[in-house]
Amino acid sequence: KNEVEQSPQNLTAQEGEFITINCSYSVGISALHWLQQHPGGGIVSLFMLSSGKKKHGRLIATINIQEKHSSLHITASHPRDSAVYICAVRRGSNYKLTFGKGTLLTVNP
Amino acid sequence: EPEVTQTPSHQVTQMGQEVILRCVPISNHLYFYWYRQILGQKVEFLVSFYNNEISEKSEIFDDQFSVERPDGSNFTLKIRSTKLEDSAMYFCASSYTEVDTQYFGPGTRLTVL
């Protein structure tokens, strides 16, 4: 079983829709990251969370430590939001990130 | 805005050849990482580096791999004798502390023929 599971694997939405991507993890963590990977391959860090909620523009990330679950929400989605969204966790004092398989989001105009 | 850079963007090599992938982390960052992503698969951790030594490495990072910070700005990943299965996108990342956000470079696509 993967330590980090994301759902859905693929998501297609119409422009303007509210998007939710989920991440569940099976281990104790010290931080959870949400990252965005565009078709060209580059990876951009969106959020790093250890508790609660963070907001940046139209993006909101939440985490529930007790339930070992995090969500990434996109409000008023736009075609430029189309990308792979990746959840990654850091455990304890480890340096490395363990990644989920990603969610491919396609937003149609 | 400072960014992590990587060169080359694409490297093609023959099986058995040595390759060196180069990264310039963000200048005041102290922690450096290499990750790889085989086509269609998830990103995997290779190694982290701090204070001129490896701080953590994965089981993928065997004797064929080495990392070095040869000067104050570059961070390199060397693969001594490439195999077909080393074909992947290799990402460098850096962070100021071990708990801060990691900033990723654009990646080097390595193709081993």
Short mmCIF file of all heavy atoms in Angstrom, two decimals, chain B residues 30-66:
data_model
loop_
_atom_site.label_atom_id
_atom_site.label_comp_id
_atom_site.label_asym_id
_atom_site.label_seq_id
_atom_site.Cartn_x
_atom_site.Cartn_y
_atom_site.Cartn_z
N LEU B 30 20.40 25.96 2.40
CA LEU B 30 21.41 25.13 3.02
C LEU B 30 21.18 23.63 2.79
O LEU B 30 22.09 22.84 3.04
CB LEU B 30 21.44 25.39 4.53
CG LEU B 30 21.69 26.86 4.93
CD1 LEU B 30 21.55 27.02 6.44
CD2 LEU B 30 23.09 27.30 4.47
N TYR B 31 19.96 23.27 2.39
CA TYR B 31 19.60 21.86 2.22
C TYR B 31 19.31 21.61 0.75
O TYR B 31 18.59 22.38 0.12
CB TYR B 31 18.37 21.51 3.07
CG TYR B 31 18.65 21.57 4.54
CD1 TYR B 31 18.71 22.79 5.21
CD2 TYR B 31 18.87 20.40 5.27
CE1 TYR B 31 18.99 22.85 6.56
CE2 TYR B 31 19.15 20.45 6.61
CZ TYR B 31 19.21 21.67 7.26
OH TYR B 31 19.49 21.72 8.60
N PHE B 32 19.85 20.53 0.23
CA PHE B 32 19.75 20.26 -1.20
C PHE B 32 19.28 18.83 -1.39
O PHE B 32 19.62 17.94 -0.59
CB PHE B 32 21.11 20.48 -1.88
CG PHE B 32 21.76 21.76 -1.46
CD1 PHE B 32 22.90 21.74 -0.68
CD2 PHE B 32 21.21 22.98 -1.81
CE1 PHE B 32 23.49 22.93 -0.26
CE2 PHE B 32 21.80 24.17 -1.39
CZ PHE B 32 22.94 24.14 -0.61
N TYR B 33 18.52 18.62 -2.48
CA TYR B 33 17.87 17.33 -2.71
C TYR B 33 17.92 16.98 -4.20
O TYR B 33 17.90 17.86 -5.05
CB TYR B 33 16.39 17.39 -2.29
CG TYR B 33 16.13 18.04 -0.95
CD1 TYR B 33 16.00 19.42 -0.85
CD2 TYR B 33 16.00 17.27 0.21
CE1 TYR B 33 15.77 20.03 0.38
CE2 TYR B 33 15.76 17.88 1.42
CZ TYR B 33 15.65 19.26 1.51
OH TYR B 33 15.41 19.86 2.72
N TRP B 34 17.94 15.69 -4.46
CA TRP B 34 17.69 15.18 -5.81
C TRP B 34 16.52 14.21 -5.74
O TRP B 34 16.44 13.37 -4.84
CB TRP B 34 18.90 14.46 -6.39
CG TRP B 34 19.98 15.37 -6.88
CD1 TRP B 34 21.14 15.68 -6.27
CD2 TRP B 34 19.99 16.09 -8.12
NE1 TRP B 34 21.87 16.55 -7.02
CE2 TRP B 34 21.19 16.82 -8.17
CE3 TRP B 34 19.10 16.20 -9.20
CZ2 TRP B 34 21.54 17.64 -9.25
CZ3 TRP B 34 19.43 17.02 -10.27
CH2 TRP B 34 20.65 17.72 -10.28
N TYR B 35 15.62 14.37 -6.71
CA TYR B 35 14.48 13.47 -6.90
C TYR B 35 14.49 13.02 -8.35
O TYR B 35 15.08 13.68 -9.21
CB TYR B 35 13.16 14.20 -6.63
CG TYR B 35 12.96 14.67 -5.21
CD1 TYR B 35 13.41 15.92 -4.80
CD2 TYR B 35 12.31 13.86 -4.28
CE1 TYR B 35 13.21 16.36 -3.49
CE2 TYR B 35 12.10 14.29 -2.98
CZ TYR B 35 12.56 15.54 -2.59
OH TYR B 35 12.36 15.96 -1.30
N ARG B 36 13.82 11.90 -8.61
CA ARG B 36 13.65 11.52 -10.01
C ARG B 36 12.21 11.09 -10.25
O ARG B 36 11.48 10.70 -9.33
CB ARG B 36 14.61 10.39 -10.39
CG ARG B 36 14.16 9.02 -9.95
CD ARG B 36 14.97 7.91 -10.54
NE ARG B 36 14.41 6.62 -10.19
CZ ARG B 36 15.01 5.47 -10.37
NH1 ARG B 36 16.24 5.44 -10.92
NH2 ARG B 36 14.42 4.34 -10.03
N GLN B 37 11.82 11.20 -11.52
CA GLN B 37 10.47 10.78 -11.91
C GLN B 37 10.58 10.03 -13.23
O GLN B 37 10.86 10.62 -14.28
CB GLN B 37 9.55 12.00 -12.06
CG GLN B 37 8.10 11.63 -12.35
CD GLN B 37 7.21 12.85 -12.43
OE1 GLN B 37 7.63 13.92 -12.87
NE2 GLN B 37 5.95 12.71 -12.00
N ILE B 38 10.39 8.72 -13.16
CA ILE B 38 10.33 7.91 -14.36
C ILE B 38 9.01 8.23 -15.05
O ILE B 38 7.99 8.47 -14.39
CB ILE B 38 10.44 6.41 -14.01
CG1 ILE B 38 11.84 6.14 -13.44
CG2 ILE B 38 10.17 5.54 -15.22
CD1 ILE B 38 12.01 4.76 -12.83
N LEU B 39 9.04 8.26 -16.37
CA LEU B 39 7.87 8.66 -17.15
C LEU B 39 6.61 7.91 -16.73
O LEU B 39 6.60 6.67 -16.69
CB LEU B 39 8.15 8.41 -18.63
CG LEU B 39 7.11 8.97 -19.61
CD1 LEU B 39 7.03 10.48 -19.52
CD2 LEU B 39 7.42 8.53 -21.04
N GLY B 40 5.59 8.67 -16.38
CA GLY B 40 4.31 8.07 -16.00
C GLY B 40 4.24 7.61 -14.56
O GLY B 40 3.20 7.09 -14.13
N GLN B 41 5.32 7.79 -13.81
CA GLN B 41 5.32 7.34 -12.41
C GLN B 41 5.44 8.52 -11.45
O GLN B 41 5.59 9.67 -11.88
CB GLN B 41 6.48 6.35 -12.20
CG GLN B 41 6.34 5.09 -13.02
CD GLN B 41 7.38 4.05 -12.68
OE1 GLN B 41 7.95 4.05 -11.58
NE2 GLN B 41 7.62 3.14 -13.61
N LYS B 42 5.36 8.22 -10.17
CA LYS B 42 5.43 9.31 -9.19
C LYS B 42 6.88 9.74 -8.95
O LYS B 42 7.82 9.05 -9.30
CB LYS B 42 4.78 8.87 -7.87
CG LYS B 42 5.46 7.73 -7.18
CD LYS B 42 4.73 7.36 -5.91
CE LYS B 42 5.41 6.23 -5.18
NZ LYS B 42 4.73 5.89 -3.92
N VAL B 43 7.00 10.91 -8.38
CA VAL B 43 8.32 11.44 -8.04
C VAL B 43 8.89 10.63 -6.87
O VAL B 43 8.17 10.29 -5.92
CB VAL B 43 8.21 12.92 -7.64
CG1 VAL B 43 9.56 13.48 -7.26
CG2 VAL B 43 7.60 13.74 -8.78
N GLU B 44 10.19 10.32 -6.95
CA GLU B 44 10.83 9.52 -5.90
C GLU B 44 12.05 10.27 -5.36
O GLU B 44 12.83 10.84 -6.14
CB GLU B 44 11.33 8.19 -6.47
CG GLU B 44 10.25 7.31 -7.07
CD GLU B 44 10.88 6.12 -7.78
OE1 GLU B 44 11.51 6.31 -8.83
OE2 GLU B 44 10.73 4.99 -7.26
N PHE B 45 12.23 10.19 -4.08
CA PHE B 45 13.39 10.80 -3.43
C PHE B 45 14.64 9.99 -3.72
O PHE B 45 14.63 8.76 -3.69
CB PHE B 45 13.13 10.84 -1.92
CG PHE B 45 14.32 11.20 -1.08
CD1 PHE B 45 14.70 12.51 -0.94
CD2 PHE B 45 15.03 10.21 -0.41
CE1 PHE B 45 15.79 12.85 -0.13
CE2 PHE B 45 16.11 10.53 0.39
CZ PHE B 45 16.50 11.86 0.53
N LEU B 46 15.74 10.69 -4.01
CA LEU B 46 17.04 10.03 -4.16
C LEU B 46 17.94 10.31 -2.97
O LEU B 46 18.42 9.39 -2.31
CB LEU B 46 17.74 10.51 -5.43
CG LEU B 46 17.12 10.11 -6.76
CD1 LEU B 46 17.91 10.71 -7.91
CD2 LEU B 46 17.07 8.59 -6.90
N VAL B 47 18.19 11.60 -2.69
CA VAL B 47 19.20 11.94 -1.70
C VAL B 47 18.98 13.36 -1.20
O VAL B 47 18.45 14.21 -1.92
CB VAL B 47 20.61 11.79 -2.35
CG1 VAL B 47 20.81 12.83 -3.44
CG2 VAL B 47 21.72 11.84 -1.33
N SER B 48 19.38 13.58 0.05
CA SER B 48 19.43 14.94 0.58
C SER B 48 20.85 15.21 1.05
O SER B 48 21.59 14.29 1.43
CB SER B 48 18.42 15.14 1.71
OG SER B 48 18.70 14.27 2.78
N PHE B 49 21.23 16.48 1.08
CA PHE B 49 22.62 16.88 1.30
C PHE B 49 22.63 18.13 2.13
O PHE B 49 21.92 19.10 1.85
CB PHE B 49 23.24 17.14 -0.07
CG PHE B 49 24.73 17.31 -0.11
CD1 PHE B 49 25.56 16.20 -0.19
CD2 PHE B 49 25.31 18.56 -0.11
CE1 PHE B 49 26.93 16.33 -0.25
CE2 PHE B 49 26.68 18.71 -0.16
CZ PHE B 49 27.50 17.60 -0.24
N TYR B 50 23.42 18.11 3.20
CA TYR B 50 23.52 19.27 4.09
C TYR B 50 24.89 19.31 4.69
O TYR B 50 25.45 18.28 5.07
CB TYR B 50 22.45 19.18 5.20
CG TYR B 50 22.65 20.18 6.31
CD1 TYR B 50 22.42 21.53 6.09
CD2 TYR B 50 23.07 19.77 7.58
CE1 TYR B 50 22.62 22.46 7.11
CE2 TYR B 50 23.26 20.70 8.59
CZ TYR B 50 23.03 22.03 8.35
OH TYR B 50 23.22 22.96 9.36
N ASN B 51 25.45 20.49 4.78
CA ASN B 51 26.74 20.67 5.43
C ASN B 51 27.81 19.77 4.80
O ASN B 51 28.60 19.12 5.50
CB ASN B 51 26.60 20.37 6.93
CG ASN B 51 27.71 21.00 7.75
OD1 ASN B 51 28.31 21.99 7.35
ND2 ASN B 51 28.01 20.38 8.89
N ASN B 52 27.75 19.72 3.48
CA ASN B 52 28.74 18.98 2.67
C ASN B 52 28.74 17.47 2.88
O ASN B 52 29.76 16.81 2.64
CB ASN B 52 30.15 19.52 2.91
CG ASN B 52 30.42 20.74 2.06
OD1 ASN B 52 30.00 20.80 0.91
ND2 ASN B 52 31.09 21.70 2.64
N GLU B 53 27.61 16.95 3.34
CA GLU B 53 27.52 15.49 3.40
C GLU B 53 26.09 15.04 3.17
O GLU B 53 25.14 15.82 3.34
CB GLU B 53 28.07 14.96 4.72
CG GLU B 53 27.35 15.45 5.95
CD GLU B 53 28.00 14.92 7.22
OE1 GLU B 53 29.20 14.60 7.22
OE2 GLU B 53 27.28 14.82 8.23
N ILE B 54 25.96 13.78 2.78
CA ILE B 54 24.64 13.20 2.57
C ILE B 54 23.95 13.06 3.92
O ILE B 54 24.51 12.50 4.86
CB ILE B 54 24.75 11.83 1.86
CG1 ILE B 54 25.21 12.03 0.42
CG2 ILE B 54 23.43 11.09 1.90
CD1 ILE B 54 25.53 10.74 -0.32
N SER B 55 22.72 13.58 4.02
CA SER B 55 21.97 13.47 5.27
C SER B 55 20.96 12.32 5.21
O SER B 55 20.61 11.76 6.25
CB SER B 55 21.26 14.78 5.58
OG SER B 55 20.64 15.31 4.43
N GLU B 56 20.51 11.99 4.03
CA GLU B 56 19.59 10.86 3.89
C GLU B 56 19.64 10.41 2.43
O GLU B 56 19.83 11.22 1.54
CB GLU B 56 18.16 11.29 4.25
CG GLU B 56 17.17 10.16 4.36
CD GLU B 56 15.79 10.64 4.81
OE1 GLU B 56 15.61 11.84 5.09
OE2 GLU B 56 14.89 9.79 4.87
N LYS B 57 19.50 9.10 2.22
CA LYS B 57 19.43 8.60 0.85
C LYS B 57 18.45 7.44 0.78
O LYS B 57 18.20 6.77 1.78
CB LYS B 57 20.80 8.17 0.34
CG LYS B 57 21.44 7.05 1.12
CD LYS B 57 22.81 6.72 0.55
CE LYS B 57 23.44 5.57 1.33
NZ LYS B 57 24.75 5.18 0.77
N SER B 58 17.90 7.23 -0.42
CA SER B 58 16.94 6.15 -0.60
C SER B 58 17.68 4.90 -1.09
O SER B 58 18.86 4.96 -1.44
CB SER B 58 15.87 6.55 -1.61
OG SER B 58 16.42 6.60 -2.91
N GLU B 59 16.92 3.81 -1.17
CA GLU B 59 17.51 2.57 -1.65
C GLU B 59 17.86 2.65 -3.13
O GLU B 59 18.66 1.88 -3.64
CB GLU B 59 16.57 1.39 -1.37
CG GLU B 59 15.19 1.51 -1.99
CD GLU B 59 14.22 2.32 -1.16
OE1 GLU B 59 14.63 2.95 -0.16
OE2 GLU B 59 13.02 2.36 -1.53
N ILE B 60 17.27 3.61 -3.84
CA ILE B 60 17.60 3.81 -5.25
C ILE B 60 19.03 4.34 -5.37
O ILE B 60 19.75 4.02 -6.33
CB ILE B 60 16.65 4.83 -5.90
CG1 ILE B 60 15.20 4.39 -5.77
CG2 ILE B 60 17.01 5.08 -7.35
CD1 ILE B 60 14.21 5.48 -6.11
N PHE B 61 19.45 5.12 -4.44
CA PHE B 61 20.74 5.82 -4.48
C PHE B 61 21.83 4.84 -4.09
O PHE B 61 22.30 4.82 -2.95
CB PHE B 61 20.70 7.03 -3.54
CG PHE B 61 21.83 7.99 -3.75
CD1 PHE B 61 21.73 9.02 -4.66
CD2 PHE B 61 23.00 7.89 -2.99
CE1 PHE B 61 22.77 9.92 -4.85
CE2 PHE B 61 24.04 8.78 -3.17
CZ PHE B 61 23.93 9.79 -4.10
N ASP B 62 22.24 4.01 -5.07
CA ASP B 62 23.27 3.01 -4.77
C ASP B 62 24.65 3.54 -5.14
O ASP B 62 24.82 4.74 -5.38
CB ASP B 62 22.93 1.70 -5.50
CG ASP B 62 22.89 1.85 -7.02
OD1 ASP B 62 23.50 2.81 -7.54
OD2 ASP B 62 22.25 1.02 -7.67
N ASP B 63 25.62 2.64 -5.21
CA ASP B 63 27.01 3.05 -5.44
C ASP B 63 27.23 3.70 -6.81
O ASP B 63 28.28 4.27 -7.04
CB ASP B 63 27.94 1.83 -5.31
CG ASP B 63 28.00 1.32 -3.90
OD1 ASP B 63 27.58 2.08 -2.99
OD2 ASP B 63 28.44 0.18 -3.69
N GLN B 64 26.27 3.55 -7.70
CA GLN B 64 26.40 4.17 -9.02
C GLN B 64 26.15 5.68 -8.97
O GLN B 64 26.47 6.39 -9.91
CB GLN B 64 25.40 3.55 -10.01
CG GLN B 64 25.74 2.12 -10.37
CD GLN B 64 27.10 2.00 -11.01
OE1 GLN B 64 27.44 2.73 -11.94
NE2 GLN B 64 27.92 1.09 -10.52
N PHE B 65 25.55 6.13 -7.88
CA PHE B 65 25.19 7.53 -7.75
C PHE B 65 26.13 8.23 -6.77
O PHE B 65 26.56 7.64 -5.78
CB PHE B 65 23.75 7.68 -7.22
CG PHE B 65 22.68 7.26 -8.18
CD1 PHE B 65 22.25 5.94 -8.22
CD2 PHE B 65 22.08 8.18 -9.03
CE1 PHE B 65 21.25 5.55 -9.09
CE2 PHE B 65 21.08 7.79 -9.90
CZ PHE B 65 20.66 6.47 -9.93
N SER B 66 26.41 9.49 -7.03
CA SER B 66 27.12 10.30 -6.05
C SER B 66 26.68 11.75 -6.21
O SER B 66 26.19 12.15 -7.27
CB SER B 66 28.64 10.17 -6.21
OG SER B 66 29.04 10.65 -7.49
#
